Amino acid sequence: MLKKLTFAAAALALSATTSLAATEVTWWHAMGGELGKKLEEIAAKFNESQADYKVVPVYKGSYPETLTAAIAAFRANQQPAIVQVFEVGTGTMMAAKGAVYPVYKLMADQGESFDKSAYLAPVVGYYSDTEGNILSLPFNSSTPILYYNKDVFKKAGLDPEVSPKTWEEVEQFSKKIVSSGAAKCGFTSAWITWVQTENLSALHDQPFGTLDNGFGGLKTEFTFNGKVQVKHWGNLKKWQDEGLFKYGGPVGGDQAATMFYAQECAMTMNSSAGRAGVINNAKDFTPGFGPLPYYADEIKEPKNSIIGGATLWVLNGKDKDVYKGVAKFFSYLSKPDVQADWHQFTGYLPITNAAYELGKTQGYYAKNPGSDIAIEQITRGTPSANSKGVRFGNFTQVRTIVDEEFQGLLAGNKDAKQALDSAVSRGNKLLREFEAAN
Amino acid sequence: MNTKKTTFNNRLLPYLLLAPQLFITLVFFIWPAGQAVKSSFEREDPFGLSTVFVGLLHYQRLFEDPNYLSALSRTAVFAVSVTALSMILGLAFAAAVDRLMRSGKIYTTLLVWPYAVAPVVAGVLWWFLFNSTTGLMPFFLEKIGIHWDHDLNGTQAMILIIIAAAWKQVSYNFLFFLAGLQSVPQSLMEAAAIDGSGPVKRFFTISLPLLSPTTFFLFIINVNYTMFDTFPIVDATTVGGPAQATTTLVYKVYQDGYLGLNLGSSSAQSVLLMMIVMVLTFVQFRYVERRVQY
């Protein structure tokens, strides 16, 4: 209640300053720290580039907080024009037909050119409706990769230039690292749900849910309690017991980064957007980068990984002028140089093919080895129905459930099969609930 | 005896004098509570675009949900532990400071400090102290053979939020107990001392019974505190985990409603929570208050 009031107050304060000459376009986002500064710089540059519109970025906290804030504001009729929503919220936003102004429609209405084939295929696929219309503007998309500590690898007698390709190698390497005393633990992972469950399923071409992982519409059911997932969760538990794997905590797994920076764990798996943080925090060691490992006995050629990160959604109920500004700003954001700059600074994927090409011609990837791993991993092969992504309603809560079951597994209360079965059946209940409400 | 009684000749004036208070209660309590009751019977999408009346469905679901039922018993454990711990400690500190002739003020100030700390900050503080990777406490606990990892060990996580929540409330209890102790008539204590009773006996036979109104008041306040005000502490220290081991009723309301956007179920939960606290308060006034001597 109090939060709602402060949102309203903040929104009022913002709208009070709209009497300036330029039309204001409010943009609520969830980028803190370095990323937030960079984002504000982009907005400032757009504002300087023309005089008719002024984009005002407002930091609203974490992804879930930003989404909730926008929804609360919408209900109070104080919504921002643009809101950054993480991929988990996509199902919620897509279902909110009356609240959202789809990007493809906005661009067409405002006469801005918008060619969806210019955007990376896996990113476009994720944010399109069943007819292939793109609903939100891709902005900061990422995919998980493997980070490792080259110095620890050397100490353990491993080749510091070679990252483990398969899970078998992760196990072998970790054993060597722990037994040689080079580090206390072999590997950890951020985002157990996203990296070790959703991406694991995609990489091994296993369905996460029915109806093309939820892309086909409502009435889906979760299926991530299959053989490969059970095997992997069982392995993680086994590796934890052997001291090779250490749990990094629920949701984003904040402690995974801490343990990696402190050189306690030799490897970690995290979003490609963690790259800037790794480079800044790896003061006493050289970090290495690699693609996510896979099980060689389960699949010969691993599929592409799936995306995370966020897109920009436009909310209904604003003046026509504002939408004109939003369209202009979106065109600006999609420019190759703007995108390439954002991508190279943050580690997020370049969302357009042109931005990727620009980085190549600039020699960025040659100068920064490992910076193209994420994009190569997400674009490799042809995406299958299982590796296009996952899109479900109430997915924030489903992820919480997966985290809880994983904790139950590690605490020894359940085995891998029981934990995943329970996550699936609890998740299905939430899917039914979502259908009933939408 | 009638000298103190004021008679209003004007029939409207008493209502007028009460109006501001009534207005505030109506706007800030009755109206939101009514809204919660209303939305607990509805199913609504997050944006509020469509609303369907579903009757008691949310309540029925809750009582079928094993997670909700275990949150109930967990909350009981949490409430009893925090209330007992913070009241006993508050009383102990108050008794200690009350015996001080000098520097009592300094101790009072120091002991009241935690109350000024925002719950989230308190939570983060304890999270730092007990962080299994970087924290100070796990390091020492390891030395005496206790492996601390509240990210996976539910019991340890529960102990952690009990400590964090109690730590925050000790100051409040301390302040009231100290005020209570200082209003115990000095003559009674002196008379007892002359009769030969020691400080411990004096405390239990004179001070403690005289403190019973304070204790009763604090008891109700503390139970309410554990039921409603502790969610920032849970959020900052354990996020309700691991595997819901520290998800208390109020945290579940926050989680399902604010993060999960499941407004109907969250409203039903807050209505139930409100009813639980009302029943508790009623029981306290009905049965415990009889033992209170004013």
Side-chain angles (χ1 to χ4, degrees):
Chain A
M1 189 59 205
L2 196 67
K3 278 220 162 159
K4 244 191 198 173
L5 280 174
T6 38
F7 297 150
L12 266 179
L14 280 172
S15 58
T17 54
T18 45
S19 54
L20 297 163
T23 306
E24 283 207 10
V25 177
T26 42
W27 177 18
W28 286 7
H29 67 87
M31 306 265 91
E34 295 292 308
L35 299 178
K37 274 187 212 148
K38 188 73 190 169
L39 182 148
E40 279 174 12
E41 187 190 310
I42 291 175
K45 279 191 182 156
F46 169 74
N47 294 340
E48 281 164 25
S49 74
Q50 45 74 50
D52 297 338
Y53 306 101
K54 187 167 178 253
V55 172
V56 184
V58 184
Y59 175 61
K60 278 285 163 186
S62 69
Y63 280 135
E65 280 164 2
T66 307
L67 176 61
T68 331
I71 288 172
F74 184 85
R75 295 176 70 118
N77 233 338
Q78 302 284 0
Q79 68 273 34
I82 310 170
V83 59
Q84 184 188 23
V85 176
F86 62 156
E87 92 283 7
V88 178
T90 306
T92 304
M93 296 302 286
M94 282 190 168
K97 292 217 165 61
V100 166
Y101 194 171
V103 163
Y104 79 94
K105 203 164 168 286
L106 169 95
M107 298 304 254
D109 290 353
Q110 305 301 334
E112 288 288 319
S113 69
F114 186 69
D115 176 17
K116 71 175 186 191
S117 65
Y119 295 81
L120 287 189
V123 180
V124 176
Y126 195 93
Y127 297 103
S128 297
D129 61 14
T130 36
E131 281 92 54
N133 295 314
I134 194 159
L135 301 181
S136 59
L137 185 83
F139 172 60
N140 57 321
S141 294
S142 60
T143 198
I145 59 168
L146 176 104
Y147 298 86
Y148 68 100
N149 184 326
K150 288 190 177 179
D151 297 29
V152 169
F153 268 45
K154 216 180 287 172
K155 251 187 254 167
L158 295 160
D159 181 351
E161 297 311 317
V162 179
S163 73
K165 292 277 165 297
T166 62
W167 280 108
E168 290 80 0
E169 281 179 1
V170 171
E171 185 179 18
Q172 281 169 24
F173 286 20
S174 297
K175 276 186 180 153
K176 247 185 166 169
I177 287 159
V178 173
S179 63
S180 68
K184 265 199 273 176
C185 103
F187 73 102
T188 179
S189 175
W191 298 103
I192 291 295
T193 47
W194 183 48
V195 183
Q196 307 298 350
T197 318
E198 292 155 37
N199 269 287
L200 175 96
S201 306
L203 248 53
H204 296 89
D205 205 5
Q206 299 295 314
F208 195 81
T210 56
L211 291 180
D212 290 357
N213 284 352
F215 277 71
L218 301 170
K219 297 223 163 69
T220 71
E221 300 229 327
F222 288 118
T223 54
F224 57 86
N225 52 349
K227 186 175 133 258
V228 178
Q229 292 97 334
V230 169
K231 170 178 166 173
H232 185 56
W233 276 37
N235 277 339
L236 287 172
K237 166 69 177 153
K238 188 188 90 182
W239 291 329
Q240 179 204 236
D241 294 343
E242 295 170 356
L244 305 178
F245 163 69
K246 255 194 164 174
Y247 181 52
V251 197
D254 297 334
Q255 301 202 44
T258 316
M259 290 190 283
F260 182 66
Y261 298 154
Q263 306 208 48
E264 200 177 326
C265 293
M267 294 175 266
T268 184
M269 283 156 236
N270 196 0
S271 160
S272 60
R275 186 184 157 84
V278 166
I279 291 171
N280 282 333
N281 283 287
K283 295 230 155 54
D284 314 318
F285 66 92
T286 320
F289 315 92
L292 285 182
Y294 61 97
Y295 287 99
D297 52 347
E298 297 291 347
I299 193 162
K300 274 211 183 78
E301 288 287 325
K303 285 277 168 194
N304 61 293
S305 57
I306 58 177
I307 61 168
T311 52
L312 305 182
W313 291 81
V314 186
L315 295 176
N316 272 334
K318 291 274 165 191
D319 289 344
K320 232 184 148 222
D321 293 357
V322 175
Y323 290 124
K324 188 99 196 143
V326 173
K328 287 253 186 284
F329 178 57
F330 279 6
S331 292
Y332 178 84
L333 266 186
S334 308
K335 280 187 176 175
D337 51 332
V338 177
Q339 256 311 307
D341 177 42
W342 168 253
H343 147 65
Q344 290 169 13
F345 179 86
T346 58
Y348 282 112
L349 300 166
I351 52 155
T352 60
N353 296 312
Y356 182 36
E357 291 304 321
L358 182 67
K360 278 188 198 161
T361 53
Q362 287 170 338
Y364 172 75
Y365 304 108
K367 267 183 272 170
N368 300 278
S371 55
D372 52 352
I373 281 171
I375 183 155
E376 276 174 10
Q377 181 179 273
I378 203 169
T379 50
R380 74 184 166 204
T382 328
S384 71
N386 297 327
S387 72
K388 237 169 76 181
V390 289
R391 200 162 70 201
F392 300 94
N394 278 342
F395 204 51
T396 325
Q397 284 170 293
V398 173
R399 276 198 170 170
T400 308
I401 289 175
V402 174
D403 271 328
E404 283 171 11
E405 295 297 340
F406 190 71
Q407 289 166 339
L409 166 80
L410 292 189
N413 305 334
K414 287 174 180 178
D415 67 24
K417 177 87 179 120
Q418 288 167 337
L420 283 161
D421 284 351
S422 162
V424 164
S425 69
R426 287 172 67 192
N428 283 339
K429 270 194 199 142
L430 286 176
L431 289 181
R432 300 294 81 82
E433 199 119 315
F434 184 77
E435 272 163 37
N438 283 289
Chain B
M1 281 309 274
N2 270 339
T3 46
K4 273 190 178 174
K5 202 171 171 190
T6 316
T7 322
F8 286 101
N9 293 323
N10 190 331
R11 282 184 150 239
L12 273 176
L13 189 64
Y15 296 101
L16 206 68
L17 290 173
L18 268 177
Q21 177 66 45
L22 283 176
F23 177 75
I24 286 170
T25 314
L26 214 66
V27 169
F28 290 101
F29 180 71
I30 306 288
W31 184 55
Q35 286 281 321
V37 174
K38 177 174 169 280
S39 67
S40 73
F41 296 128
E42 291 169 348
R43 182 188 275 133
E44 194 174 41
D45 73 304
F47 284 89
L49 300 167
S50 69
T51 310
V52 191
F53 182 81
V54 293
L56 289 169
L57 183 82
H58 294 304
Y59 294 95
Q60 189 198 336
R61 288 250 171 93
L62 283 176
F63 286 112
E64 286 165 6
D65 180 5
N67 287 309
Y68 186 73
L69 299 177
S70 55
L72 256 171
S73 55
R74 202 176 295 128
T75 308
V77 172
F78 177 72
V80 169
S81 311
V82 171
T83 306
L85 193 64
S86 64
M87 282 182 69
I88 290 170
L89 283 177
L91 182 59
F93 284 131
V97 169
D98 187 45
R99 286 182 58 78
L100 286 176
M101 287 298 172
R102 280 182 298 168
S103 62
K105 280 236 164 73
I106 298 172
Y107 283 104
T108 307
T109 313
L110 290 176
L111 280 163
V112 169
W113 257 357
Y115 195 64
V117 173
V120 186
V121 179
V124 170
L125 208 122
W126 287 99
W127 179 85
F128 265 119
L129 271 176
F130 279 93
N131 186 301
S132 54
T133 316
T134 51
L136 200 61
M137 295 309 284
F139 177 76
F140 289 119
L141 286 170
E142 200 78 51
K143 294 202 162 164
I144 55 166
I146 299 170
H147 178 69
W148 186 273
D149 186 4
H150 66 259
D151 281 332
L152 288 176
N153 187 323
T155 316
Q156 289 181 349
M158 192 50 142
I159 294 172
L160 180 61
I161 60 160
I162 288 172
I163 294 176
W167 177 78
K168 209 78 198 77
Q169 195 62 6
V170 165
S171 306
Y172 187 85
N173 296 343
F174 161 77
L175 214 56
F176 275 83
F177 276 130
L178 185 65
L181 281 174
Q182 286 179 343
S183 63
V184 171
Q186 205 56 38
S187 53
L188 274 179
M189 298 301 254
E190 277 164 7
I194 291 166
D195 286 347
S197 75
V200 177
K201 180 143 194 184
R202 288 204 299 270
F203 177 77
F204 281 104
T205 53
I206 300 172
S207 303
L208 208 53
L210 285 175
L211 277 178
S212 63
T214 313
T215 315
F216 178 64
F217 164 77
L218 285 178
F219 186 53
I220 290 175
I221 292 290
N222 277 281
V223 169
N224 279 309
Y225 161 78
T226 54
M227 290 292 189
F228 292 119
D229 292 344
T230 44
F231 85 89
I233 289 180
V234 178
D235 195 42
T237 22
T238 59
V239 210
Q244 293 200 359
T246 52
T247 304
T248 56
L249 290 177
V250 68
Y251 191 68
K252 205 166 155 52
V253 170
Y254 164 79
Q255 221 175 18
D256 290 356
Y258 189 74
L259 296 176
L261 299 168
N262 191 344
L263 301 176
S265 175
S266 178
S267 300
Q269 289 175 36
S270 57
V271 169
L272 285 175
L273 184 59
M274 194 162 71
M275 278 171 14
I276 291 169
V277 173
M278 271 158 63
V279 169
L280 272 181
T281 312
F282 174 76
V283 169
Q284 284 167 340
F285 269 101
R286 187 86 176 74
Y287 298 101
V288 184
E289 206 200 9
R290 286 183 183 171
R291 294 161 188 269
V292 172
Q293 301 138 6
Y294 289 100

